[in-house]
Structures are given as C-alpha cells and as structure tokens.
C-alpha cells in the first residue's frame, strides 16, 4: 500500500524524533562540514535575517549565527519537537540570543512574505512530501534580493550504497524496499528547471565532498541509527539484525583504511538561487 504524503511526513518526523538525542553527536564528521559550506555558499552577511528549515541539531544554524553576528537574526525550524528542544538548550548554553528555534513545518513555514534575506535548507528539501511547493513558499518568504541555498546529495560512496542494499535485503517481506523516485535535484539541468518552476533563478551550483571516518562497523551502525538511516534499520526485526550487520560489514570492506577503520566519501550539491524578477510576492 502506498503511503499518503501526510503518513510519509509523520513517519519521517517519528524517525528524527527518535534520533534527536544522538543526531550529529556520534563523533562523525558529516553534517557539520556540510552545514558550514552551505552557509559559506549562501554569502550570509552581518545583520542578515536568516531562516534555517529542518534545522536538526544546528549544523547549519550555528554557522549561520556566526555569519550574521549579533546584529542579525537566525530562526531555525524543525517538525520534530525533540530536535527543537535539544537545539534550544544548545543555543541557551552558547548564549546566542540572536537565534531562536521553533517547531514548524519545512514544507510550509509560517512567516509573512518577504521576511528573510536568506533561507537555508541543508539536506532536507528532498525529504519533503512536495519539494517544489516548498521551494515556491521559500521564494515568497525571501526579500527581492534574498538568497535560497539548498544542499542535496550528489553522490554516495559506492561502499555505502552497497551496505544499504545489504541491509535492505533483510527487511521483512511485507516491508516495501527503498525504491528510486523521480529526483527534482538529479543534476544541474534538473535543478535549474525545478527552481524555475518555483519562481527562483539559479545563481550557482557546485559540488562539495566530505570524507567521514568510522572506528569500525559498530561505529558506522551507531551513526546510522542517529539519523535518517534509522528509517530502514527500525524495520529489520531483531532476530535478523546480526545477519544484516554482517552483510553490511562485508559490503563496507572496500572502505577499510590502514588503521582498521572505515572512510566513506559523500558528495553534496549546493544550489544558490534568488527570486525571479517579476515573480508574485504572495
């Protein structure tokens, strides 16, 4: 049975709600460098008003706060209340009074038109039920010279892909396997067309890659449980997990490094766009 958009959204929120306490807290360099590069590409300036959609534990939010300085304002939104709670506490401890975080939907943020100089979406838009509708909303929320910066996956490490396939092979027979869908961010031409439909004009598209290191397969599994990978893992019944992990470990062998750990390289694509001249503001 196909899931409705609402059911899919609720399932995604549940995954990230459960992962919130360990999200980006497993000692793996992944979301942090990607978030910092997204902020750099967006050209955030002191005094800017910035929205971070799907803020998670702040991989984009904190670099954006540094870039705007205390004269700016940064708002992070996430639909998972636990993510918001943990991040709010992190902000309090850091003393960042020009940053706030709240529960809100990245699909349709609740702000007046023309509210922001920049909107940042780090590895989130492709998870939304209707990505193009979300992009149209972002275009309306930007000031005329504002910038939208979006990161999407460009290429996963082949060993990671093989390990994910190995895990998926252990899903129950009645659990749908992850299936490729039409990707509105598949390549530069597709991205440009996707943005145009949303009344956005592309300024730049560039790739950026990060090498993530893991102590061993157990550390990789800990990391997998800490983010969206949980969506697959939680459907593998306990009696199949040891076999699933063993198969994933074999698939990860090409990523083995001399010290016995693992190194996986992930490439993302960062798109910066601005509202098209003459596009409706509301």
């Amino acid at each position: 049975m196909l899931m409705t958009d609402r059911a899919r959204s609720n399932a995604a929120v549940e995954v990230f709600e459960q992962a919130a306490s360990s999200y980006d807290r497993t000692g793996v360099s992944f979301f942090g460098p990607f978030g910092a590069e997204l902020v750099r590409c967006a050209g955030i300036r002191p005094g800017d008003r910035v929205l971070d959609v799907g803020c998670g534990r702040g991989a984009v939010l904190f670099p954006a706060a540094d870039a705007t300085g205390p004269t700016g304002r940064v708002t992070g939104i996430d639909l998972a209340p636990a993510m918001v709670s943990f991040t709010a506490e992190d902000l309090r401890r850091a003393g960042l009074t020009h940053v706030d975080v709240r529960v809100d939907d990245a699909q349709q943020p609740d702000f007046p038109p023309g509210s922001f100089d920049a909107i940042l979406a780090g590895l989130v838009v492709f998870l939304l039920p209707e990505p193009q509708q979300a992009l149209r909303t972002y275009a309306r929320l930007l000031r005329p010279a504002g910038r939208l910066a979006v990161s999407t996956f460009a290429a996963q490490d082949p060993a990671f892909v093989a390990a994910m396939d190995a895990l998926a092979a252990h899903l129950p027979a009645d659990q749908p396997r992850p299936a490729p869908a039409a990707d509105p961010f598949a390549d530069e031409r597709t991205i440009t067309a996707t943005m145009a439909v949303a009344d956005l004009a592309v300024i730049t598209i560039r790739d950026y890659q990060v090498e993530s290191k893991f102590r061993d397969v157990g550390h990789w599994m800990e990391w997998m449980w800490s983010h969206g990978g949980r969506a697959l893992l939680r459907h593998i019944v306990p009696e199949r997990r040891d076999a699933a992990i063993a198969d994933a470990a074999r698939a990860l062998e090409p990523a083995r490094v001399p010290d016995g750990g693992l190194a996986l390289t992930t490439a993302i694509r960062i798109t910066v766009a601005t509202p098209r001249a003459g596009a409706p503001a509301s």
Side-chain angles (χ1 to χ4, degrees), residues 155-168 220 232 248 251-252 264-265:
Q156 299 277 12
D157 193 294
F160 175 83
V161 174
M164 291 296 287
D165 288 344
L167 291 172
W220 182 76
L232 185 155
L252 288 167
L264 297 171
T265 299

Side-chain angles (χ1 to χ4, degrees), residues 51-56 61 75-79 84 100-111:
L51 175 66
D52 175 17
V53 299
C55 66
L61 194 72
T75 298
I77 63 171
D78 202 288
L79 205 51
V84 170
D100 68 287
V101 61
R102 65 187 70 171
V103 175
D104 198 357
D105 191 351
Q107 177 70 48
Q108 193 166 5
D110 186 18
F111 297 93

Side-chain angles (χ1 to χ4, degrees), residues 22-100:
S22 59
Y23 188 84
D24 204 16
R25 297 297 187 274
T26 60
V28 176
S29 179
F30 189 81
F31 295 108
F34 284 143
E37 183 65 10
L38 181 67
V39 170
R40 191 192 70 78
C41 289
I44 305 301
R45 298 180 287 263
D48 275 354
R49 182 172 174 83
V50 178
L51 175 66
D52 175 17
V53 299
C55 66
R57 293 295 300 272
V60 172
L61 194 72
F62 284 89
D66 288 342
T68 67
T71 61
R73 187 75 192 173
V74 183
T75 298
I77 63 171
D78 202 288
L79 205 51
M83 286 287 193
V84 170
S85 178
F86 282 118
T87 303
E89 178 59 22
D90 294 339
L91 291 170
R92 187 194 65 77
R93 285 198 299 267
L96 294 175
T97 57
H98 67 295
V99 185
D100 68 287

Side-chain angles (χ1 to χ4, degrees), residues 114-205:
S115 292
F116 300 100
D117 298 296
I119 296 177
L120 309 175
L123 299 176
V124 65
V125 176
F126 51 84
L127 296 173
L128 301 177
E130 297 182 59
Q132 287 187 328
Q133 182 187 78
L135 293 172
R136 289 191 191 96
T137 299
Y138 303 160
R140 292 195 298 271
L141 297 185
L142 285 169
R143 292 167 181 169
R147 291 94 61 210
L148 169 67
V150 174
S151 59
T152 53
F153 286 109
Q156 299 277 12
D157 193 294
F160 175 83
V161 174
M164 291 296 287
D165 288 344
L167 291 172
H170 289 269
L171 289 170
D174 61 350
Q175 180 64 38
R177 269 51 175 175
D183 183 0
F185 308 101
D187 51 41
E188 293 192 12
R189 181 185 61 80
T190 308
I191 290 170
T192 300
T194 296
M195 293 291 176
V197 170
D199 292 322
L200 290 156
V202 170
I203 301 172
T204 61
I205 300 176

